Amino acid sequence: LNRTQLQPTKMVDASDPGLATAIADIRNDKTPTDWVHIGYEGRNKVKAVASGSGGFEEIRVLFKDDECSWGFIRVVTGDQESRRIKFVFLVWAGPKVGAMSKSRFCAHKPSVSAAVGQFHVELFADDPADFTMEEILDKLKRSAGANYDLGSNAKGYASQIGDIKANAASSYKAAEKEQTIGPVVYEKGALASATPCDLGGRRMVAPPTEAKKNTDLVGKLDQSKIALEEPRPADASKTTQPAPAPAAKPAVEEQRIVDPEPAPAAAPEPEPTPAPAAEEPAPAAEEP
């Protein structure tokens, strides 16, 4: 092996403006363009070789046995009730292409795929027998999880949506008639046996057995099952003796509380008498 064969393969240049324009037209539903053929311009550059609006059968003739190239197409799937747009990435390696060219072609594929963008399925072929529209539709059906077939409508199509709606409505009414209960009927008079009960779980005025006799689980009272039973005599062995009345407490004489008489008011103390004023001493006699 020489040095040229040992060098890694360079990534291909896919920056052709014409290629970007063709891809944008294919993704635009308002334009008729539905395919673009991508080929080499030199060894490490690709470009949009051709584009058109004739579908896969028109682009198919451009793939030669002695070259490698790519394609990007828009396909319409479904039927008249449901139509969907799908995008397919075509990878063609002609049967007469050498091994080294195929190796370089495989190394360039990621760059071309990135330039194309998102797509639903990829079809790789190196034999014209495998490069067909039937193969593309089969891949689209398996990827979508549903089989929409246009072949049965090749000779014309008559919508059956009206019959489908009518059959669905008829089936729904029949099922509703069989499964839906009738209207609620209210009793206007007193029931044969009525047992008041408390749905909150508190003590009832009757034992649970009596309450069950008046429980209607069917939705319509069956008067034949509500028979009035004669009261059964009480079993003497099971008769409970009434509890003895509590002993009366001895009467306690009421003590009359007599309020004590109020004490007489004390006499007011006399006012103190003022002391008499002291007499002044007489003046001394003058000596002769």
Side-chain angles (χ1 to χ4, degrees), residues 50-86:
S51 61
S53 58
F56 174 76
E57 297 302 330
E58 187 176 35
I59 189 178
R60 185 175 184 271
V61 300
L62 301 179
F63 294 96
K64 306 298 182 181
D65 292 346
D66 57 349
E67 68 179 14
C68 296
S69 58
W70 299 268
F72 183 61
I73 64 174
R74 179 176 64 197
V75 180
V76 180
T77 62
D79 53 21
Q80 278 75 0
E81 300 295 344
S82 176
R83 303 178 69 85
R84 292 174 172 83
I85 301 296
K86 303 293 183 180

PDB file of all heavy atoms in Angstrom, residues 50-86:
ATOM      1  N   ALA A  50     -29.768  17.256 -11.112  1.00  0.00           N
ATOM      2  CA  ALA A  50     -31.046  17.514 -11.787  1.00  0.00           C
ATOM      3  C   ALA A  50     -32.162  17.452 -10.768  1.00  0.00           C
ATOM      4  O   ALA A  50     -32.001  16.891  -9.671  1.00  0.00           O
ATOM      5  CB  ALA A  50     -31.270  16.506 -12.915  1.00  0.00           C
ATOM      6  N   SER A  51     -33.313  18.016 -11.110  1.00  0.00           N
ATOM      7  CA  SER A  51     -34.510  17.959 -10.275  1.00  0.00           C
ATOM      8  C   SER A  51     -35.728  17.952 -11.178  1.00  0.00           C
ATOM      9  O   SER A  51     -35.653  18.323 -12.354  1.00  0.00           O
ATOM     10  CB  SER A  51     -34.571  19.149  -9.306  1.00  0.00           C
ATOM     11  OG  SER A  51     -34.620  20.376 -10.024  1.00  0.00           O
ATOM     12  N   GLY A  52     -36.857  17.535 -10.638  1.00  0.00           N
ATOM     13  CA  GLY A  52     -38.064  17.454 -11.453  1.00  0.00           C
ATOM     14  C   GLY A  52     -39.291  17.193 -10.604  1.00  0.00           C
ATOM     15  O   GLY A  52     -39.235  17.197  -9.367  1.00  0.00           O
ATOM     16  N   SER A  53     -40.410  16.955 -11.274  1.00  0.00           N
ATOM     17  CA  SER A  53     -41.697  16.753 -10.604  1.00  0.00           C
ATOM     18  C   SER A  53     -42.387  15.476 -11.066  1.00  0.00           C
ATOM     19  O   SER A  53     -43.590  15.331 -10.888  1.00  0.00           O
ATOM     20  CB  SER A  53     -42.620  17.950 -10.852  1.00  0.00           C
ATOM     21  OG  SER A  53     -42.808  18.141 -12.260  1.00  0.00           O
ATOM     22  N   GLY A  54     -41.621  14.546 -11.656  1.00  0.00           N
ATOM     23  CA  GLY A  54     -42.220  13.311 -12.171  1.00  0.00           C
ATOM     24  C   GLY A  54     -42.137  12.134 -11.232  1.00  0.00           C
ATOM     25  O   GLY A  54     -42.462  11.004 -11.637  1.00  0.00           O
ATOM     26  N   GLY A  55     -41.720  12.327 -10.006  1.00  0.00           N
ATOM     27  CA  GLY A  55     -41.698  11.242  -9.038  1.00  0.00           C
ATOM     28  C   GLY A  55     -40.516  10.309  -9.202  1.00  0.00           C
ATOM     29  O   GLY A  55     -39.545  10.580  -9.916  1.00  0.00           O
ATOM     30  N   PHE A  56     -40.603   9.169  -8.537  1.00  0.00           N
ATOM     31  CA  PHE A  56     -39.493   8.225  -8.509  1.00  0.00           C
ATOM     32  C   PHE A  56     -39.183   7.654  -9.888  1.00  0.00           C
ATOM     33  O   PHE A  56     -38.013   7.449 -10.239  1.00  0.00           O
ATOM     34  CB  PHE A  56     -39.814   7.091  -7.522  1.00  0.00           C
ATOM     35  CG  PHE A  56     -38.785   5.992  -7.520  1.00  0.00           C
ATOM     36  CD1 PHE A  56     -37.564   6.174  -6.894  1.00  0.00           C
ATOM     37  CD2 PHE A  56     -39.030   4.776  -8.158  1.00  0.00           C
ATOM     38  CE1 PHE A  56     -36.614   5.159  -6.890  1.00  0.00           C
ATOM     39  CE2 PHE A  56     -38.093   3.771  -8.157  1.00  0.00           C
ATOM     40  CZ  PHE A  56     -36.877   3.962  -7.519  1.00  0.00           C
ATOM     41  N   GLU A  57     -40.198   7.370 -10.680  1.00  0.00           N
ATOM     42  CA  GLU A  57     -39.955   6.764 -11.991  1.00  0.00           C
ATOM     43  C   GLU A  57     -39.167   7.700 -12.897  1.00  0.00           C
ATOM     44  O   GLU A  57     -38.431   7.250 -13.786  1.00  0.00           O
ATOM     45  CB  GLU A  57     -41.293   6.402 -12.645  1.00  0.00           C
ATOM     46  CG  GLU A  57     -42.093   5.350 -11.875  1.00  0.00           C
ATOM     47  CD  GLU A  57     -41.308   4.056 -11.705  1.00  0.00           C
ATOM     48  OE1 GLU A  57     -40.480   3.734 -12.582  1.00  0.00           O
ATOM     49  OE2 GLU A  57     -41.529   3.362 -10.686  1.00  0.00           O
ATOM     50  N   GLU A  58     -39.264   8.997 -12.678  1.00  0.00           N
ATOM     51  CA  GLU A  58     -38.517   9.949 -13.484  1.00  0.00           C
ATOM     52  C   GLU A  58     -37.054  10.041 -13.038  1.00  0.00           C
ATOM     53  O   GLU A  58     -36.143  10.136 -13.874  1.00  0.00           O
ATOM     54  CB  GLU A  58     -39.172  11.328 -13.406  1.00  0.00           C
ATOM     55  CG  GLU A  58     -38.561  12.370 -14.340  1.00  0.00           C
ATOM     56  CD  GLU A  58     -39.300  13.688 -14.298  1.00  0.00           C
ATOM     57  OE1 GLU A  58     -39.793  14.065 -13.210  1.00  0.00           O
ATOM     58  OE2 GLU A  58     -39.394  14.360 -15.336  1.00  0.00           O
ATOM     59  N   ILE A  59     -36.802   9.983 -11.746  1.00  0.00           N
ATOM     60  CA  ILE A  59     -35.426  10.065 -11.268  1.00  0.00           C
ATOM     61  C   ILE A  59     -34.701   8.729 -11.387  1.00  0.00           C
ATOM     62  O   ILE A  59     -33.467   8.680 -11.453  1.00  0.00           O
ATOM     63  CB  ILE A  59     -35.401  10.551  -9.793  1.00  0.00           C
ATOM     64  CG1 ILE A  59     -33.964  10.863  -9.359  1.00  0.00           C
ATOM     65  CG2 ILE A  59     -36.019   9.543  -8.870  1.00  0.00           C
ATOM     66  CD1 ILE A  59     -33.864  11.385  -7.930  1.00  0.00           C
ATOM     67  N   ARG A  60     -35.432   7.649 -11.444  1.00  0.00           N
ATOM     68  CA  ARG A  60     -34.819   6.315 -11.451  1.00  0.00           C
ATOM     69  C   ARG A  60     -33.894   6.117 -12.645  1.00  0.00           C
ATOM     70  O   ARG A  60     -32.850   5.455 -12.548  1.00  0.00           O
ATOM     71  CB  ARG A  60     -35.915   5.252 -11.436  1.00  0.00           C
ATOM     72  CG  ARG A  60     -35.422   3.818 -11.314  1.00  0.00           C
ATOM     73  CD  ARG A  60     -36.607   2.865 -11.175  1.00  0.00           C
ATOM     74  NE  ARG A  60     -36.160   1.506 -10.972  1.00  0.00           N
ATOM     75  CZ  ARG A  60     -35.907   0.663 -11.968  1.00  0.00           C
ATOM     76  NH1 ARG A  60     -36.079   1.049 -13.232  1.00  0.00           N
ATOM     77  NH2 ARG A  60     -35.490  -0.577 -11.703  1.00  0.00           N
ATOM     78  N   VAL A  61     -34.217   6.674 -13.790  1.00  0.00           N
ATOM     79  CA  VAL A  61     -33.422   6.458 -14.996  1.00  0.00           C
ATOM     80  C   VAL A  61     -32.080   7.188 -14.932  1.00  0.00           C
ATOM     81  O   VAL A  61     -31.198   6.937 -15.764  1.00  0.00           O
ATOM     82  CB  VAL A  61     -34.208   6.911 -16.241  1.00  0.00           C
ATOM     83  CG1 VAL A  61     -35.506   6.104 -16.367  1.00  0.00           C
ATOM     84  CG2 VAL A  61     -34.535   8.408 -16.163  1.00  0.00           C
ATOM     85  N   LEU A  62     -31.896   8.078 -13.967  1.00  0.00           N
ATOM     86  CA  LEU A  62     -30.648   8.838 -13.859  1.00  0.00           C
ATOM     87  C   LEU A  62     -29.554   8.087 -13.098  1.00  0.00           C
ATOM     88  O   LEU A  62     -28.397   8.518 -13.112  1.00  0.00           O
ATOM     89  CB  LEU A  62     -30.906  10.185 -13.178  1.00  0.00           C
ATOM     90  CG  LEU A  62     -31.927  11.110 -13.871  1.00  0.00           C
ATOM     91  CD1 LEU A  62     -32.100  12.396 -13.052  1.00  0.00           C
ATOM     92  CD2 LEU A  62     -31.487  11.438 -15.289  1.00  0.00           C
ATOM     93  N   PHE A  63     -29.897   7.009 -12.445  1.00  0.00           N
ATOM     94  CA  PHE A  63     -28.912   6.239 -11.681  1.00  0.00           C
ATOM     95  C   PHE A  63     -28.261   5.215 -12.620  1.00  0.00           C
ATOM     96  O   PHE A  63     -28.905   4.275 -13.076  1.00  0.00           O
ATOM     97  CB  PHE A  63     -29.582   5.553 -10.487  1.00  0.00           C
ATOM     98  CG  PHE A  63     -30.099   6.503  -9.438  1.00  0.00           C
ATOM     99  CD1 PHE A  63     -31.436   6.903  -9.439  1.00  0.00           C
ATOM    100  CD2 PHE A  63     -29.252   7.017  -8.467  1.00  0.00           C
ATOM    101  CE1 PHE A  63     -31.902   7.777  -8.476  1.00  0.00           C
ATOM    102  CE2 PHE A  63     -29.726   7.905  -7.510  1.00  0.00           C
ATOM    103  CZ  PHE A  63     -31.046   8.294  -7.518  1.00  0.00           C
ATOM    104  N   LYS A  64     -26.966   5.381 -12.873  1.00  0.00           N
ATOM    105  CA  LYS A  64     -26.246   4.545 -13.818  1.00  0.00           C
ATOM    106  C   LYS A  64     -25.553   3.388 -13.111  1.00  0.00           C
ATOM    107  O   LYS A  64     -25.259   3.456 -11.909  1.00  0.00           O
ATOM    108  CB  LYS A  64     -25.205   5.388 -14.573  1.00  0.00           C
ATOM    109  CG  LYS A  64     -25.778   6.630 -15.245  1.00  0.00           C
ATOM    110  CD  LYS A  64     -26.816   6.272 -16.296  1.00  0.00           C
ATOM    111  CE  LYS A  64     -27.357   7.516 -17.003  1.00  0.00           C
ATOM    112  NZ  LYS A  64     -28.397   7.191 -18.012  1.00  0.00           N
ATOM    113  N   ASP A  65     -25.242   2.345 -13.890  1.00  0.00           N
ATOM    114  CA  ASP A  65     -24.597   1.163 -13.311  1.00  0.00           C
ATOM    115  C   ASP A  65     -23.133   1.409 -12.955  1.00  0.00           C
ATOM    116  O   ASP A  65     -22.574   0.672 -12.130  1.00  0.00           O
ATOM    117  CB  ASP A  65     -24.686  -0.023 -14.285  1.00  0.00           C
ATOM    118  CG  ASP A  65     -26.114  -0.523 -14.457  1.00  0.00           C
ATOM    119  OD1 ASP A  65     -26.972  -0.129 -13.639  1.00  0.00           O
ATOM    120  OD2 ASP A  65     -26.380  -1.297 -15.411  1.00  0.00           O
ATOM    121  N   ASP A  66     -22.494   2.397 -13.549  1.00  0.00           N
ATOM    122  CA  ASP A  66     -21.067   2.609 -13.334  1.00  0.00           C
ATOM    123  C   ASP A  66     -20.778   3.847 -12.468  1.00  0.00           C
ATOM    124  O   ASP A  66     -19.693   4.416 -12.538  1.00  0.00           O
ATOM    125  CB  ASP A  66     -20.344   2.744 -14.676  1.00  0.00           C
ATOM    126  CG  ASP A  66     -20.921   3.875 -15.514  1.00  0.00           C
ATOM    127  OD1 ASP A  66     -22.001   4.403 -15.140  1.00  0.00           O
ATOM    128  OD2 ASP A  66     -20.306   4.247 -16.525  1.00  0.00           O
ATOM    129  N   GLU A  67     -21.741   4.271 -11.642  1.00  0.00           N
ATOM    130  CA  GLU A  67     -21.520   5.432 -10.796  1.00  0.00           C
ATOM    131  C   GLU A  67     -22.277   5.295  -9.479  1.00  0.00           C
ATOM    132  O   GLU A  67     -23.215   4.492  -9.357  1.00  0.00           O
ATOM    133  CB  GLU A  67     -21.959   6.714 -11.500  1.00  0.00           C
ATOM    134  CG  GLU A  67     -23.455   6.826 -11.720  1.00  0.00           C
ATOM    135  CD  GLU A  67     -23.856   8.133 -12.393  1.00  0.00           C
ATOM    136  OE1 GLU A  67     -22.965   8.822 -12.914  1.00  0.00           O
ATOM    137  OE2 GLU A  67     -25.063   8.459 -12.386  1.00  0.00           O
ATOM    138  N   CYS A  68     -21.860   6.091  -8.500  1.00  0.00           N
ATOM    139  CA  CYS A  68     -22.535   6.167  -7.200  1.00  0.00           C
ATOM    140  C   CYS A  68     -23.155   7.558  -7.058  1.00  0.00           C
ATOM    141  O   CYS A  68     -22.519   8.567  -7.379  1.00  0.00           O
ATOM    142  CB  CYS A  68     -21.553   5.930  -6.058  1.00  0.00           C
ATOM    143  SG  CYS A  68     -20.798   4.299  -6.027  1.00  0.00           S
ATOM    144  N   SER A  69     -24.354   7.622  -6.589  1.00  0.00           N
ATOM    145  CA  SER A  69     -25.040   8.905  -6.432  1.00  0.00           C
ATOM    146  C   SER A  69     -26.156   8.760  -5.408  1.00  0.00           C
ATOM    147  O   SER A  69     -26.453   7.664  -4.927  1.00  0.00           O
ATOM    148  CB  SER A  69     -25.584   9.404  -7.777  1.00  0.00           C
ATOM    149  OG  SER A  69     -26.477   8.443  -8.326  1.00  0.00           O
ATOM    150  N   TRP A  70     -26.783   9.899  -5.119  1.00  0.00           N
ATOM    151  CA  TRP A  70     -27.857   9.931  -4.124  1.00  0.00           C
ATOM    152  C   TRP A  70     -29.095  10.587  -4.734  1.00  0.00           C
ATOM    153  O   TRP A  70     -29.032  11.202  -5.806  1.00  0.00           O
ATOM    154  CB  TRP A  70     -27.446  10.752  -2.895  1.00  0.00           C
ATOM    155  CG  TRP A  70     -26.255  10.227  -2.163  1.00  0.00           C
ATOM    156  CD1 TRP A  70     -26.249   9.360  -1.115  1.00  0.00           C
ATOM    157  CD2 TRP A  70     -24.892  10.554  -2.409  1.00  0.00           C
ATOM    158  NE1 TRP A  70     -24.981   9.119  -0.699  1.00  0.00           N
ATOM    159  CE2 TRP A  70     -24.104   9.849  -1.473  1.00  0.00           C
ATOM    160  CE3 TRP A  70     -24.234  11.376  -3.340  1.00  0.00           C
ATOM    161  CZ2 TRP A  70     -22.731   9.921  -1.436  1.00  0.00           C
ATOM    162  CZ3 TRP A  70     -22.852  11.453  -3.301  1.00  0.00           C
ATOM    163  CH2 TRP A  70     -22.109  10.733  -2.353  1.00  0.00           C
ATOM    164  N   GLY A  71     -30.194  10.473  -4.030  1.00  0.00           N
ATOM    165  CA  GLY A  71     -31.439  11.113  -4.448  1.00  0.00           C
ATOM    166  C   GLY A  71     -32.307  11.425  -3.237  1.00  0.00           C
ATOM    167  O   GLY A  71     -32.182  10.793  -2.179  1.00  0.00           O
ATOM    168  N   PHE A  72     -33.164  12.402  -3.391  1.00  0.00           N
ATOM    169  CA  PHE A  72     -34.102  12.792  -2.334  1.00  0.00           C
ATOM    170  C   PHE A  72     -35.449  13.047  -2.987  1.00  0.00           C
ATOM    171  O   PHE A  72     -35.548  13.868  -3.918  1.00  0.00           O
ATOM    172  CB  PHE A  72     -33.597  14.048  -1.621  1.00  0.00           C
ATOM    173  CG  PHE A  72     -34.472  14.470  -0.467  1.00  0.00           C
ATOM    174  CD1 PHE A  72     -34.682  13.634   0.616  1.00  0.00           C
ATOM    175  CD2 PHE A  72     -35.077  15.718  -0.463  1.00  0.00           C
ATOM    176  CE1 PHE A  72     -35.473  14.028   1.687  1.00  0.00           C
ATOM    177  CE2 PHE A  72     -35.865  16.125   0.595  1.00  0.00           C
ATOM    178  CZ  PHE A  72     -36.067  15.275   1.670  1.00  0.00           C
ATOM    179  N   ILE A  73     -36.504  12.332  -2.545  1.00  0.00           N
ATOM    180  CA  ILE A  73     -37.807  12.420  -3.203  1.00  0.00           C
ATOM    181  C   ILE A  73     -38.912  12.624  -2.163  1.00  0.00           C
ATOM    182  O   ILE A  73     -38.750  12.305  -0.982  1.00  0.00           O
ATOM    183  CB  ILE A  73     -38.114  11.155  -4.039  1.00  0.00           C
ATOM    184  CG1 ILE A  73     -38.213   9.923  -3.121  1.00  0.00           C
ATOM    185  CG2 ILE A  73     -37.066  10.959  -5.113  1.00  0.00           C
ATOM    186  CD1 ILE A  73     -38.655   8.667  -3.861  1.00  0.00           C
ATOM    187  N   ARG A  74     -40.029  13.161  -2.658  1.00  0.00           N
ATOM    188  CA  ARG A  74     -41.244  13.315  -1.860  1.00  0.00           C
ATOM    189  C   ARG A  74     -42.284  12.345  -2.389  1.00  0.00           C
ATOM    190  O   ARG A  74     -42.548  12.295  -3.594  1.00  0.00           O
ATOM    191  CB  ARG A  74     -41.760  14.749  -1.947  1.00  0.00           C
ATOM    192  CG  ARG A  74     -43.056  14.991  -1.158  1.00  0.00           C
ATOM    193  CD  ARG A  74     -43.459  16.460  -1.221  1.00  0.00           C
ATOM    194  NE  ARG A  74     -43.788  16.862  -2.591  1.00  0.00           N
ATOM    195  CZ  ARG A  74     -43.850  18.122  -2.987  1.00  0.00           C
ATOM    196  NH1 ARG A  74     -43.565  19.101  -2.153  1.00  0.00           N
ATOM    197  NH2 ARG A  74     -44.162  18.416  -4.240  1.00  0.00           N
ATOM    198  N   VAL A  75     -42.905  11.577  -1.481  1.00  0.00           N
ATOM    199  CA  VAL A  75     -43.872  10.546  -1.854  1.00  0.00           C
ATOM    200  C   VAL A  75     -45.169  10.804  -1.103  1.00  0.00           C
ATOM    201  O   VAL A  75     -45.146  11.134   0.094  1.00  0.00           O
ATOM    202  CB  VAL A  75     -43.339   9.130  -1.537  1.00  0.00           C
ATOM    203  CG1 VAL A  75     -44.364   8.063  -1.924  1.00  0.00           C
ATOM    204  CG2 VAL A  75     -42.026   8.888  -2.255  1.00  0.00           C
ATOM    205  N   VAL A  76     -46.299  10.635  -1.788  1.00  0.00           N
ATOM    206  CA  VAL A  76     -47.618  10.764  -1.179  1.00  0.00           C
ATOM    207  C   VAL A  76     -48.163   9.367  -0.930  1.00  0.00           C
ATOM    208  O   VAL A  76     -48.277   8.565  -1.850  1.00  0.00           O
ATOM    209  CB  VAL A  76     -48.575  11.565  -2.079  1.00  0.00           C
ATOM    210  CG1 VAL A  76     -49.948  11.686  -1.409  1.00  0.00           C
ATOM    211  CG2 VAL A  76     -48.010  12.945  -2.380  1.00  0.00           C
ATOM    212  N   THR A  77     -48.489   9.070   0.312  1.00  0.00           N
ATOM    213  CA  THR A  77     -49.037   7.761   0.674  1.00  0.00           C
ATOM    214  C   THR A  77     -50.445   7.926   1.224  1.00  0.00           C
ATOM    215  O   THR A  77     -50.893   9.034   1.510  1.00  0.00           O
ATOM    216  CB  THR A  77     -48.146   7.076   1.727  1.00  0.00           C
ATOM    217  OG1 THR A  77     -48.128   7.890   2.913  1.00  0.00           O
ATOM    218  CG2 THR A  77     -46.736   6.905   1.207  1.00  0.00           C
ATOM    219  N   GLY A  78     -51.130   6.787   1.422  1.00  0.00           N
ATOM    220  CA  GLY A  78     -52.477   6.801   1.957  1.00  0.00           C
ATOM    221  C   GLY A  78     -53.520   6.634   0.865  1.00  0.00           C
ATOM    222  O   GLY A  78     -53.227   6.235  -0.267  1.00  0.00           O
ATOM    223  N   ASP A  79     -54.758   6.962   1.198  1.00  0.00           N
ATOM    224  CA  ASP A  79     -55.854   6.898   0.240  1.00  0.00           C
ATOM    225  C   ASP A  79     -56.625   8.214   0.282  1.00  0.00           C
ATOM    226  O   ASP A  79     -56.178   9.178   0.900  1.00  0.00           O
ATOM    227  CB  ASP A  79     -56.768   5.695   0.527  1.00  0.00           C
ATOM    228  CG  ASP A  79     -57.246   5.681   1.970  1.00  0.00           C
ATOM    229  OD1 ASP A  79     -57.224   6.752   2.602  1.00  0.00           O
ATOM    230  OD2 ASP A  79     -57.647   4.616   2.451  1.00  0.00           O
ATOM    231  N   GLN A  80     -57.816   8.220  -0.344  1.00  0.00           N
ATOM    232  CA  GLN A  80     -58.569   9.471  -0.402  1.00  0.00           C
ATOM    233  C   GLN A  80     -59.101   9.902   0.957  1.00  0.00           C
ATOM    234  O   GLN A  80     -59.451  11.065   1.145  1.00  0.00           O
ATOM    235  CB  GLN A  80     -59.733   9.330  -1.406  1.00  0.00           C
ATOM    236  CG  GLN A  80     -59.325   9.535  -2.851  1.00  0.00           C
ATOM    237  CD  GLN A  80     -58.556   8.344  -3.414  1.00  0.00           C
ATOM    238  OE1 GLN A  80     -58.321   7.364  -2.723  1.00  0.00           O
ATOM    239  NE2 GLN A  80     -58.169   8.410  -4.676  1.00  0.00           N
ATOM    240  N   GLU A  81     -59.176   8.994   1.901  1.00  0.00           N
ATOM    241  CA  GLU A  81     -59.631   9.345   3.237  1.00  0.00           C
ATOM    242  C   GLU A  81     -58.503   9.933   4.084  1.00  0.00           C
ATOM    243  O   GLU A  81     -58.742  10.711   5.000  1.00  0.00           O
ATOM    244  CB  GLU A  81     -60.215   8.111   3.941  1.00  0.00           C
ATOM    245  CG  GLU A  81     -61.403   7.472   3.237  1.00  0.00           C
ATOM    246  CD  GLU A  81     -62.617   8.376   3.193  1.00  0.00           C
ATOM    247  OE1 GLU A  81     -62.645   9.358   3.968  1.00  0.00           O
ATOM    248  OE2 GLU A  81     -63.526   8.117   2.395  1.00  0.00           O
ATOM    249  N   SER A  82     -57.275   9.533   3.782  1.00  0.00           N
ATOM    250  CA  SER A  82     -56.137   9.995   4.580  1.00  0.00           C
ATOM    251  C   SER A  82     -54.893   9.981   3.698  1.00  0.00           C
ATOM    252  O   SER A  82     -54.453   8.913   3.259  1.00  0.00           O
ATOM    253  CB  SER A  82     -55.947   9.087   5.803  1.00  0.00           C
ATOM    254  OG  SER A  82     -54.798   9.466   6.521  1.00  0.00           O
ATOM    255  N   ARG A  83     -54.321  11.142   3.455  1.00  0.00           N
ATOM    256  CA  ARG A  83     -53.131  11.267   2.616  1.00  0.00           C
ATOM    257  C   ARG A  83     -52.003  11.871   3.448  1.00  0.00           C
ATOM    258  O   ARG A  83     -52.216  12.805   4.209  1.00  0.00           O
ATOM    259  CB  ARG A  83     -53.411  12.131   1.380  1.00  0.00           C
ATOM    260  CG  ARG A  83     -54.563  11.601   0.526  1.00  0.00           C
ATOM    261  CD  ARG A  83     -54.840  12.511  -0.660  1.00  0.00           C
ATOM    262  NE  ARG A  83     -53.753  12.471  -1.623  1.00  0.00           N
ATOM    263  CZ  ARG A  83     -53.641  11.563  -2.587  1.00  0.00           C
ATOM    264  NH1 ARG A  83     -54.549  10.598  -2.690  1.00  0.00           N
ATOM    265  NH2 ARG A  83     -52.635  11.599  -3.436  1.00  0.00           N
ATOM    266  N   ARG A  84     -50.791  11.320   3.268  1.00  0.00           N
ATOM    267  CA  ARG A  84     -49.637  11.751   4.048  1.00  0.00           C
ATOM    268  C   ARG A  84     -48.441  11.945   3.124  1.00  0.00           C
ATOM    269  O   ARG A  84     -48.272  11.204   2.156  1.00  0.00           O
ATOM    270  CB  ARG A  84     -49.297  10.716   5.134  1.00  0.00           C
ATOM    271  CG  ARG A  84     -50.345  10.629   6.234  1.00  0.00           C
ATOM    272  CD  ARG A  84     -50.030   9.487   7.186  1.00  0.00           C
ATOM    273  NE  ARG A  84     -50.904   9.497   8.339  1.00  0.00           N
ATOM    274  CZ  ARG A  84     -52.115   8.985   8.361  1.00  0.00           C
ATOM    275  NH1 ARG A  84     -52.605   8.421   7.263  1.00  0.00           N
ATOM    276  NH2 ARG A  84     -52.861   9.034   9.450  1.00  0.00           N
ATOM    277  N   ILE A  85     -47.610  12.932   3.476  1.00  0.00           N
ATOM    278  CA  ILE A  85     -46.388  13.227   2.739  1.00  0.00           C
ATOM    279  C   ILE A  85     -45.214  12.542   3.437  1.00  0.00           C
ATOM    280  O   ILE A  85     -45.040  12.684   4.653  1.00  0.00           O
ATOM    281  CB  ILE A  85     -46.139  14.744   2.645  1.00  0.00           C
ATOM    282  CG1 ILE A  85     -47.323  15.431   1.947  1.00  0.00           C
ATOM    283  CG2 ILE A  85     -44.845  15.029   1.904  1.00  0.00           C
ATOM    284  CD1 ILE A  85     -47.521  15.012   0.522  1.00  0.00           C
ATOM    285  N   LYS A  86     -44.426  11.802   2.673  1.00  0.00           N
ATOM    286  CA  LYS A  86     -43.251  11.122   3.198  1.00  0.00           C
ATOM    287  C   LYS A  86     -42.030  11.512   2.357  1.00  0.00           C
ATOM    288  O   LYS A  86     -42.140  11.744   1.151  1.00  0.00           O
ATOM    289  CB  LYS A  86     -43.424   9.599   3.159  1.00  0.00           C
ATOM    290  CG  LYS A  86     -44.644   9.083   3.913  1.00  0.00           C
ATOM    291  CD  LYS A  86     -44.516   9.287   5.408  1.00  0.00           C
ATOM    292  CE  LYS A  86     -45.710   8.692   6.148  1.00  0.00           C
ATOM    293  NZ  LYS A  86     -45.610   8.881   7.612  1.00  0.00           N
TER     294      LYS A  86
END
